[in-house]
Amino acid sequence: MPTLSRYLLILLLAVSSSNLPAQDAPSATTPAPTPAQTLTQLRSQLDSIKATVDAAKHDVPLSDLRASALAVQQQADQLGSTLSPQSASLQARLDVLGPPPAKGAPPESAELGAQRRQLGKAKNDLDSQVKQANSLSTEAAQLAAHVAELRADQFQAQLASRTATPFSRAFWIDPIKAFPDDAARVTRLGNEVMAVIGQAWQPPNRVPFVLCLIIAVLLLSVGRWLIERAVVNVTTNRMPAGRLRRSALAVAVTLASTLAIGLAAHFAYLALNWNDLLDEDLDDLARKMARLVTFAAFMAGLGRAMLSNKRPSWRLPALSDEAAHRLRSFPWLLGAAALLLGVSESINNAIGASLATTVTTRGLLTVLIGLLVGSALIRLGQSRRAILASGELPERRPLWVGLVVAAAFVGVGITLLGVATGYIAFAFFIARQMLWVGVILTSLYLLMHLVDDIFDTVFAPKGRTGKRMQSSFGLPVSALEQTGTLLSGLTRAILLILAVAFVLAPFGAGPQELAGRVGSLLSGASLGKLKIVPGDIFDAVLLFALGMIVLRVIKRWLSEQLLPKTSLDPGMQNSMVTLLGYVGGVLVFGLALAGLGVDLQSIAWMASALSVGIGFGLQAIVQNFISGLILLAERPVKVGDWVSIGGVEGDIRRINVRATEIQMSDRSTMIVPNSQFITSNVRNVTLANAQGRVQIKLPMPLDTDASKARELILEVLRAHPGTLGMPAPSVQLDNLDGGSMLFSCTAYVNSPRDVSSVKSDLLFETLERLRDAKLPMTSPQSMVVRNLPPIAESNDDKD
């Protein structure tokens, strides 16, 4: 099998490489047209479209005319946008030369005058061409809108048309009468195809004809199996474990079927038209056939991927095995129905079939599609009833799935009822829309799962790429997850908008029309002198995102690599990184505005105009912002300092734009506005590497040996590893009062943060040493209250 696949690949490359140069050679020698020639061609195309619309409004494909008008508009806009910068460049050169000399002034040199006249003429020609391009663009847009209105009227007229019911004799009279002529046209088309096949079998064309047919057969038989097996092997063995495997496998199965069958159809087309044997009409018909086969293969592959009968555990939709088994043949049947519909429409258009034959074939195809869809819905219901009969509960369907199933039932009823009542055009439209909307919704479901799984895998905190992003950009886990969710939501929204545009395509609001309207709206919109251009907006957003990423990388490099190797303290390092973030953020924002086309001078004028309002309305915010900058620059306090302000005492953890975070002793955080550090009295305990002082008061009885107690306490103070030798510890007799004497013990430590722990150690050690030395400490005086018994009353008192 590997040898066969290699031979198949070699044949594909050989056939493609031998066919491409013959097609590309003429275009390489064609010179590029001048702007004047392009304008003439566009004017000719636009006049031709106008003449076609005015001459036969109901006998031409209006969708093609509208697409041609929109193409003219797009080319005119591109030409105008290309010529406008050239005109501005010529004007700049004229401004450098200055105005011509006034009357009575000394004449300028002949070379300077000739150069001015030459530049002026060139600029006038460019301005004239720009005006012509703008005029052509406006006319093309108006013509496209007019054609859209005609198309809507034609569409409504076709849907409202009614014929005799198929159950009547009158319906079949016209097709029977037209059958001989239509059969002769089909025979004539078949003869032309057989003649082309005969020419392809001639010796000059026989080898490529046979090779292309062999390749097509191999692709349909062995190639499809090899391609599907290869993609399944990649998704199951090479991709990381997770939900992404399921969605990727479904996409791979869909693309494998589409690629194999589509390539087979393409090589069948090449077999007939290797040396341009087909005329223009047959070539157009053959290309349509190849596209129809590819679309039918896509439908079948998409259905197989959704059902996943061979791998039930990898199935994306909540579908039981019983339902998937019952529906296993419908992807191919519906794909074949879509192919048959497209082939019949293409052949009818190619041979110019009669209206009666066209209506009859459409009615039959409508009934076929309605019966197929109805049968699939009935089998789906039977599978749910079988699960209920077995005593199990079927999986709960989302609301939108129930709505789609209900809409499908309604669509089947409308198609069959429409054919029965003679509204075949309307029923045919509904049947075709059922197939089209089904393909769009299924593709949207698959792509949304794929997008969601991709972003979940890429931005998973425990995944390989997620860990790399965390280590490279310093992103927290929450930011990584939020980024993945946001990007997934945006992509899903774009997919939903595109799906709606594709669904509305038959109503004149397809992707091309929608993109044209949005582009025209954005390209023509303006905010004052600022022109809103989608490309500029994208460039500005991209520049801002890249700038912020670069700024984040620089800040991380400074904070983790460069600054820690310097002699700067951590507070100063944090201040430098924070200031760099503020300044860099402002610069990146300015560059993004410049990329958007905003004049920075206008922003300066706007800022000065709003300064009064900012001074009154945002005074507190601006004051805190400026105070934050002062704190970062002067550094009266810094990150890590122990400060006390307004009854709040704790360690500074962060200095932000508006406020400073102080962590208190109970581990809570107090948010203090930056302006208070500038306008209020602040006690900075750790400023300038301040030392901490440990002070202990020890009361002892008057009969205690004071000298012995002093020496013992000094030994404890000097022996502790946390106390400093300079300044030396000291013990002083502070007071004699109430039958006791009070010793004041003082020692110094490296930091005020060590005071509490060192003081506790010293107290424990001092109490133990005093107890061992039989030196008691003064006990607190107590007062005892006794209740005396009442005094007995004398007899005299009783009397």
Side-chain angles (χ1 to χ4, degrees):
M1 287 300 176
T3 306
L4 179 59
S5 62
R6 283 199 296 269
Y7 288 157
L8 180 61
L9 181 61
I10 293 172
L11 286 174
L12 287 173
L13 294 176
V15 170
S16 301
S17 61
S18 61
N19 191 33
L20 288 177
Q23 299 175 356
D24 296 340
S27 61
T29 59
T30 303
T34 61
Q37 294 175 346
T38 302
L39 288 172
T40 303
Q41 294 175 2
L42 293 178
R43 170 57 64 183
S44 176
Q45 294 177 14
L46 193 60
D47 292 341
S48 176
I49 297 172
K50 287 182 179 179
T52 305
V53 172
D54 295 336
K57 295 182 179 179
H58 301 287
D59 298 330
V60 293
L62 295 179
S63 58
D64 295 341
L65 294 178
R66 188 172 188 274
S68 300
L70 290 176
V72 172
Q73 180 191 6
Q74 183 179 8
Q75 295 178 18
D77 290 337
Q78 291 178 353
L79 182 61
S81 61
T82 303
L83 296 179
S84 295
Q86 299 178 15
S87 177
S89 176
L90 291 177
Q91 183 62 45
R93 295 174 63 182
L94 286 172
D95 293 339
V96 172
L97 296 179
K103 292 183 179 180
E108 60 185 359
S109 63
E111 295 179 356
L112 187 61
Q115 186 178 4
R116 180 182 289 106
R117 288 190 297 272
Q118 182 181 2
L119 291 176
K121 183 179 181 303
K123 184 180 182 302
N124 292 334
D125 294 341
L126 282 177
D127 291 341
S128 176
Q129 292 174 353
V130 171
K131 291 180 180 179
Q132 293 180 30
N134 294 335
S135 176
L136 278 173
S137 175
T138 304
E139 293 182 22
Q142 294 174 353
L143 180 59
H146 177 61
V147 173
E149 294 176 359
L150 294 177
R151 183 184 178 189
D153 295 339
Q154 188 183 66
F155 178 70
Q156 294 176 1
Q158 290 176 352
L159 292 183
S161 62
R162 184 182 182 184
T163 62
T165 175
F167 299 105
S168 65
R169 181 183 177 185
F171 178 83
W172 299 100
I173 291 176
D174 292 337
I176 293 174
K177 291 181 179 179
F179 179 77
D181 294 336
D182 292 333
R185 295 189 184 99
V186 173
T187 303
R188 194 159 45 246
L189 177 63
N191 293 333
E192 292 178 1
V193 173
M194 293 304 297
V196 171
I197 295 176
Q199 293 179 11
W201 185 251
Q202 297 303 319
N205 305 315
R206 184 178 300 174
V207 173
F209 176 75
V210 173
L211 283 178
C212 289
L213 288 182
I214 291 175
I215 293 174
V217 172
L218 290 176
L219 284 171
L220 289 175
S221 57
V222 182
R224 186 170 67 88
W225 180 78
L226 289 176
I227 295 175
E228 187 169 339
R229 183 178 178 182
V231 296
V232 168
N233 182 45
V234 171
T235 53
T236 55
N237 299 328
R238 302 295 178 86
M239 297 189 66
R243 295 186 307 172
L244 181 60
R245 280 186 175 182
R246 293 193 310 165
S247 54
L249 178 62
V251 173
V253 170
T254 304
L255 294 180
S257 298
T258 307
L259 183 63
I261 301 177
L263 282 177
H266 177 69
F267 276 100
Y269 163 76
L270 289 179
L272 295 177
N273 197 36
W274 184 260
N275 288 322
D276 296 330
L277 300 179
L278 299 175
D279 58 18
E280 185 177 355
D281 294 335
L282 282 179
D283 182 71
D284 183 60
L285 180 61
R287 289 179 181 271
K288 287 182 180 179
M289 294 296 179
R291 289 194 295 267
L292 288 171
V293 170
T294 304
F295 180 74
F298 175 76
M299 284 187 61
L302 187 62
R304 290 180 58 241
M306 289 294 101
L307 296 179
S308 187
N309 283 293
K310 294 183 179 179
R311 302 171 186 84
S313 60
W314 291 58
R315 188 179 298 130
L316 281 179
L319 200 64
S320 64
D321 295 343
E322 174 70 18
H325 181 72
R326 289 176 180 266
L327 299 176
R328 66 186 184 279
S329 59
F330 279 89
W332 295 107
L333 292 176
L334 290 174
L339 177 62
L340 184 60
L341 186 149
V343 169
S344 64
E345 288 290 302
S346 300
I347 292 178
N348 287 338
N349 293 332
I351 66 175
S354 63
L355 179 62
T357 301
T358 303
V359 171
T360 303
T361 54
R362 286 184 174 182
L364 294 175
L365 289 172
T366 300
V367 172
L368 175 63
I369 294 173
L371 292 177
L372 281 176
V373 176
S375 177
L377 294 174
I378 291 173
R379 292 197 177 193
L380 187 62
Q382 290 175 349
S383 65
R384 291 180 63 88
R385 288 191 294 271
I387 294 176
L388 290 173
S390 63
E392 300 179 1
L393 291 177
E395 296 188 17
R396 188 174 180 180
R397 298 186 299 196
L399 177 61
W400 68 270
V401 176
L403 294 176
V404 169
V405 172
F409 272 112
V410 173
V412 170
I414 290 176
T415 55
L416 298 179
L417 185 62
V419 172
T421 56
Y423 290 97
I424 295 179
F426 180 69
F428 178 75
F429 172 76
I430 296 297
R432 189 167 55 183
Q433 281 301 105
M434 282 196 299
L435 293 179
W436 178 245
V437 173
V439 172
I440 296 301
L441 290 181
T442 309
S443 303
L444 178 65
Y445 178 82
L446 175 57
L447 290 178
M448 281 195 169
H449 270 278
L450 178 65
V451 166
D452 199 18
D453 295 342
I454 286 176
F455 284 111
D456 283 347
T457 303
V458 172
F459 291 94
K462 296 182 180 180
R464 183 170 57 184
T465 55
K467 291 180 180 179
R468 287 183 180 178
M469 290 183 185
Q470 294 181 51
S471 60
S472 301
F473 304 109
L475 294 175
V477 174
S478 59
L480 201 64
E481 294 176 342
Q482 292 170 7
T483 303
T485 304
L486 179 61
L487 292 177
S488 175
L490 290 176
T491 309
R492 287 157 67 97
I494 294 174
L495 289 175
L496 181 60
I497 293 173
L498 291 176
V500 171
F502 277 109
V503 169
L504 297 179
F507 303 94
Q512 184 178 4
E513 290 81 1
L514 184 63
R517 293 175 186 174
V518 173
S520 300
L521 178 63
L522 293 179
S523 61
S526 61
L527 182 63
K529 295 183 178 180
L530 177 61
K531 198 74 173 178
I532 301 178
V533 182
D536 293 344
I537 296 176
F538 177 78
D539 293 341
V541 172
L542 182 61
L543 182 62
F544 182 79
L546 291 178
M548 294 305 295
I549 291 175
V550 171
L551 180 61
R552 190 180 185 91
V553 171
I554 294 176
K555 287 173 59 180
R556 180 169 181 173
W557 176 74
L558 285 175
S559 61
E560 295 184 0
Q561 297 187 20
L562 179 62
L563 294 180
K565 298 178 181 178
T566 63
S567 59
L568 299 175
D569 58 272
M572 186 62 182
Q573 296 177 18
N574 182 270
S575 300
M576 292 180 64
V577 173
T578 305
L579 278 176
L580 176 65
Y582 293 158
V583 175
V586 173
L587 291 177
V588 170
F589 185 71
L591 290 175
L593 290 179
L596 191 59
V598 178
D599 188 4
L600 299 181
Q601 185 176 1
S602 301
I603 296 178
W605 282 105
M606 186 182 300
S608 61
L610 294 176
S611 59
V612 177
I614 291 175
F616 287 100
L618 303 177
Q619 182 178 4
I621 296 177
V622 175
Q623 182 182 9
N624 289 322
F625 175 75
I626 299 300
S627 299
L629 295 180
I630 294 175
L631 291 178
L632 292 173
E634 293 187 358
R635 301 177 67 246
V637 294
K638 59 184 182 296
V639 175
D641 283 355
W642 181 6
V643 299
S644 176
I645 175 173
V648 178
E649 185 172 354
D651 298 328
I652 294 180
R653 292 304 180 195
R654 184 178 300 171
I655 301 177
N656 296 319
V657 176
R658 188 193 64 83
T660 297
E661 299 178 8
I662 298 179
Q663 185 176 359
M664 305 179 68
S665 58
D666 59 354
R667 315 304 294 178
S668 62
T669 301
M670 181 69 68
I671 309 298
V672 181
N674 291 330
S675 59
Q676 292 192 17
F677 287 92
I678 305 300
T679 59
S680 303
N681 296 326
V682 182
R683 176 173 174 261
N684 193 337
V685 181
T686 57
L687 183 65
N689 296 324
Q691 296 175 345
R693 186 182 70 166
V694 180
Q695 190 170 27
I696 303 174
K697 302 289 186 179
L698 292 177
M700 302 188 72
L702 286 175
D703 56 355
T704 302
D705 188 349
S707 299
K708 182 178 179 181
R710 179 176 180 274
E711 292 298 328
L712 188 147
I713 296 173
L714 279 176
E715 290 179 4
V716 173
L717 296 179
R718 292 167 180 166
H720 194 280
T723 59
L724 300 178
M726 185 60 67
S730 63
V731 177
Q732 297 178 347
L733 189 59
D734 189 56
N735 193 12
L736 297 174
D737 186 20
S740 64
M741 50 184 173
L742 183 64
F743 288 94
S744 178
C745 312
T746 304
Y748 293 90
V749 292
N750 284 320
S751 172
R753 305 181 189 281
D754 301 334
V755 170
S756 59
S757 60
V758 173
K759 183 177 181 179
S760 176
D761 295 341
L762 292 177
L763 284 173
F764 277 112
E765 183 68 21
T766 301
L767 289 176
E768 185 178 356
R769 296 287 298 275
L770 290 176
R771 188 177 294 109
D772 294 341
K774 308 296 183 181
L775 296 176
M777 296 187 64
T778 303
S779 301
Q781 297 181 355
S782 60
M783 180 175 63
V784 180
V785 180
R786 296 181 179 178
N787 294 324
L788 297 176
I791 301 175
E793 296 183 357
S794 62
N795 294 331
D796 295 338
D797 293 335
K798 291 181 180 180
D799 294 337

